[in-house]
Amino acid sequence: MSSINTTLDLNWRNGPKSTDIITDIRRFFTDIDSRPTVNLRLGYSTKADAVQLQENNGVLMLTRQNNTSPRSTKNAQYWARFVKTATLLNNMVVDKQALKTRFIQYRETRRHEKLDIVKRLMYDIAMTLQIHPTTFGIQQQESGMLKTPQGISLENEVVSDIFAYNDRQRTVLKKKQKIPGTRSIRLRGEKSIPCLVLDVNVKMAGGKVDAVVVVEHKNLSSILDIKNVLLVMTAGYPSSATKEYLHLLSQNPKLQAVPFLYFGDHDMGGFTIFQTLKYGSKNSAWASKMMVCPQLEYCGPLKQDLMESARLYRPQWEAQYLADHPGVTKLVADRDADYWQRKMDRKIKCKFMHHTKKDSEIKRSFDKLGWLDHEPLIKHEIDLIIGSIHPAKFRMADMTQVNILHLQRFIESKLLKRCANRAPVEIPPPVARGIRPQNTPSQPLAGMTQEGDELVLDTVETGDIHQTPDERSLSPEGELRALAAIHIP
């Protein structure tokens, strides 16, 4: 077993020319035919020291060690798949035809070959030849979305033909001379994140960016309308294009003083996405330099944030209730708010999930990589998930249980703490929604009697048990009667 003590750093932006790739592939075919063993750099290496957390130019990131492993050429099944996949990649370069990974799987591999096996073989070839997979013409996947604030647009220089771009003359271009194989794309509003972006220019035409907010789910864009915020949605586990684009934004001179904040699910998947965006992933550590966002901060939501959401939203709920029921006294409104908060607390408690065996395995992988030592807040939340008998996992969308706008106001509160010059968002006063006609006297709740200006609680009989309305509301029967007596917006 041979080992080289340097890191493997691959970048498609300075990839070899097509003729050099073809020469390297054919030379490797000769090695397979003439040697009993061949040294490979496996795409998904299982060596204990293959991926390490290291500092590179002051930035912590996961790096892939440039080590190799010998593989006997007598393993006919593996090498048949290897040579077949390498031949396809060679033909893609010769024909200058870029393909998606799924199409490569359907085109040349064996019937019912799993996609993971095809990707593993392509990565083995790319790592062994020390060539970025995109340079072969393997197309990146578009999955992420972004949403620009008003008055902001993003000018992107994008590679549209990877082969023409790599075969260009590597000379200094004249002013306004276009790079071969590239084109310009302007993004404004809500758009998909493009692939193979060389550079991003932030155009501020009367607008400004207070923060870059990264969220896990793109379906939240319909309820997140935050002023002066550049919203990046990873759509689950981020694609290479999304990670590269976020890295370019973090390096943009106009965004250097802007905080980058991450909001995701309170589970191991959400924490894994944060690790991938800030420190890189284990499977693509060979390209971490062009994929990490070192400024990214984890902002939750935490377990405590969800548990306290009903209490924090109660004043707004009570104000809306009084606007909808102008004749209701403060005592009645407080009692109805108490009932609503208890009901929401019970509903929120049901949203928490227990950890699984897989969660424990992911936690051990986090500990092995070592990045949790630099994120004490996430480490504490993982301890709540793994180390407690009480369920603690939940989805970020659960923050909308009390109100559809509560998640946006939660993010706004975090922005207010991180952005010194950001003005607080004023919550508009509640407007009556026409639930009860104006100037209509409010009737006391069932189980209460009006005596002058005071409301007196009655005791009601349920079987042999006498309960006050507060106690009765905790039972299913009392809850149904209370719901029939009052309207809860």
Side-chain angles (χ1 to χ4, degrees):
M1 180 181 297
S2 62
S3 178
I4 305 174
N5 294 324
T6 57
T7 59
L8 189 62
D9 180 24
L10 305 182
N11 191 338
W12 57 264
R13 293 178 177 86
N14 52 14
K17 293 184 177 182
S18 300
T19 54
D20 297 333
I21 297 175
I22 296 171
T23 301
D24 290 341
I25 293 177
R26 292 177 179 176
R27 183 185 298 117
F28 190 72
F29 283 166
T30 303
D31 291 341
I32 297 174
D33 292 336
S34 59
R35 298 181 181 179
T37 59
V38 176
N39 289 326
L40 295 180
R41 295 178 183 87
L42 301 180
Y44 303 125
S45 179
T46 58
K47 288 186 177 181
D49 60 343
V51 177
Q52 298 178 8
L53 185 68
Q54 295 181 344
E55 187 172 329
N56 191 301
N57 295 327
V59 177
L60 276 176
M61 64 180 70
L62 295 177
T63 58
R64 169 64 190 270
Q65 302 305 302
N66 191 11
N67 46 25
T68 60
S69 300
R71 176 69 67 105
S72 173
T73 54
K74 294 181 180 180
N75 188 342
Q77 184 177 12
Y78 173 82
W79 287 110
R81 293 177 175 177
F82 188 98
V83 171
K84 195 170 187 178
T85 306
T87 302
L88 172 60
L89 296 178
N90 180 82
N91 295 339
M92 288 168 57
V93 177
V94 171
D95 299 335
K96 300 188 184 307
Q97 182 184 33
L99 298 174
K100 291 186 178 295
T101 306
R102 180 70 70 178
F103 188 75
I104 297 173
Q105 174 197 13
Y106 293 152
R107 183 177 180 182
E108 291 291 342
T109 56
R110 298 189 309 170
R111 189 179 181 184
H112 307 309
E113 190 81 277
K114 292 184 178 179
L115 181 63
D116 288 343
I117 296 178
V118 177
K119 292 175 66 176
R120 185 184 294 270
L121 288 169
M122 290 191 300
Y123 277 24
D124 288 351
I125 297 168
M127 297 303 103
T128 300
L129 299 180
Q130 299 189 59
I131 299 175
H132 194 285
T134 302
T135 310
F136 290 101
I138 302 172
Q139 294 180 351
Q140 293 183 350
Q141 179 183 358
E142 291 185 9
S143 60
M145 302 281 294
L146 61 85
K147 189 176 182 180
T148 62
Q150 187 175 5
I152 301 296
S153 62
L154 302 175
E155 299 283 350
N156 305 274
E157 187 177 11
V158 178
V159 174
S160 55
D161 187 342
I162 188 64
F163 302 110
Y165 174 77
N166 286 329
D167 292 340
R168 72 192 188 281
Q169 295 293 328
R170 312 294 173 97
T171 57
V172 179
L173 297 176
K174 297 179 181 180
K175 189 176 182 179
K176 294 185 179 180
Q177 185 178 356
K178 185 180 179 181
I179 302 175
T182 64
R183 61 190 177 100
S184 298
I185 297 178
R186 173 180 290 184
L187 301 180
R188 181 184 297 166
E190 187 172 344
K191 301 291 183 181
S192 297
I193 294 177
C195 300
L196 303 182
V197 180
L198 290 172
D199 187 38
V200 180
N201 187 14
V202 181
K203 297 285 187 179
M204 299 187 180
K208 67 173 185 176
V209 178
D210 288 339
V212 177
V213 171
V214 184
V215 297
E216 180 179 345
H217 304 287
K218 65 179 180 181
N219 54 5
L220 295 177
S221 64
S222 59
I223 64 173
L224 293 180
D225 187 16
I226 308 174
K227 187 178 180 181
N228 298 334
V229 163
L230 178 58
L231 185 65
V232 178
M233 296 156 279
T234 65
Y237 192 82
S239 63
S240 298
T242 302
K243 291 183 284 186
E244 291 180 6
Y245 200 85
L246 187 61
H247 170 79
L248 291 174
L249 290 176
S250 70
Q251 302 298 311
N252 192 282
K254 296 181 181 179
L255 301 178
Q256 288 304 298
V258 170
F260 284 67
L261 310 179
Y262 172 80
F263 298 85
D265 290 345
H266 190 265
D267 56 19
M268 305 307 286
F271 302 143
T272 302
I273 292 174
F274 174 81
Q275 172 221 300
T276 301
L277 295 174
K278 183 169 183 177
Y279 299 101
S281 69
K282 188 174 181 181
N283 290 339
S284 60
W286 39 266
S288 289
K289 285 185 181 180
M290 54 186 287
M291 289 186 176
V292 297
C293 177
Q295 302 101 310
L296 196 62
E297 304 174 30
Y298 181 79
C299 293
L302 311 178
K303 180 181 180 181
Q304 194 67 20
D305 294 329
L306 181 59
M307 293 179 64
E308 294 183 350
S309 58
R311 179 184 65 82
L312 294 176
Y313 189 75
R314 173 176 171 154
Q316 300 171 47
W317 184 93
E318 194 168 348
Q320 183 65 58
Y321 182 80
L322 289 171
D324 293 337
H325 306 81
V328 170
T329 63
K330 187 67 167 63
L331 179 61
V332 173
D334 287 342
R335 181 184 180 281
D336 292 352
D338 287 339
Y339 170 79
W340 173 84
Q341 184 175 339
R342 289 196 301 270
K343 186 171 184 286
M344 286 296 105
D345 286 339
R346 294 197 299 270
K347 188 176 180 180
I348 288 170
K349 188 176 181 180
C350 295
K351 293 295 180 179
F352 290 106
M353 299 173 286
H354 286 282
H355 74 277
T356 62
K357 183 179 179 181
K358 186 176 180 180
D359 294 332
S360 301
E361 295 174 354
I362 296 175
K363 201 266 183 182
R364 285 193 293 270
S365 70
F366 288 169
D367 293 335
K368 184 178 179 181
L369 294 174
W371 67 270
L372 275 183
D373 295 335
H374 304 276
E375 301 291 339
L377 183 59
I378 296 181
K379 189 173 184 179
H380 175 263
E381 295 301 307
I382 291 179
D383 290 339
L384 292 178
I385 294 175
I386 304 296
S388 174
I389 60 173
H390 302 290
K393 294 196 305 180
F394 64 90
R395 295 173 62 85
M396 185 170 65
D398 294 332
M399 293 289 289
T400 62
Q401 290 297 316
V402 295
N403 186 272
I404 195 67
L405 296 178
H406 183 65
L407 176 61
Q408 176 169 326
R409 291 169 182 169
F410 167 76
I411 296 177
E412 287 278 7
S413 67
K414 296 292 184 180
L415 289 171
L416 197 60
K417 294 178 181 179
R418 284 293 291 110
C419 305
N421 298 325
R422 186 175 178 84
V425 178
E426 295 184 3
I427 300 176
V431 179
R433 296 175 293 191
I435 296 174
R436 180 178 296 166
Q438 295 289 337
N439 302 322
T440 301
S442 173
Q443 298 297 324
L445 294 173
M448 306 183 74
T449 304
Q450 185 82 32
E451 294 185 0
D453 295 332
E454 297 183 356
L455 288 170
V456 179
L457 298 179
D458 298 333
T459 55
V460 294
E461 186 172 347
T462 305
D464 296 331
I465 302 175
H466 294 273
Q467 298 175 306
T468 64
D470 277 337
E471 295 167 339
R472 188 177 70 251
S473 65
L474 298 177
S475 66
E477 298 83 0
E479 190 168 305
L480 290 174
R481 285 196 291 272
L483 286 172
I486 63 174
H487 175 83
I488 299 179

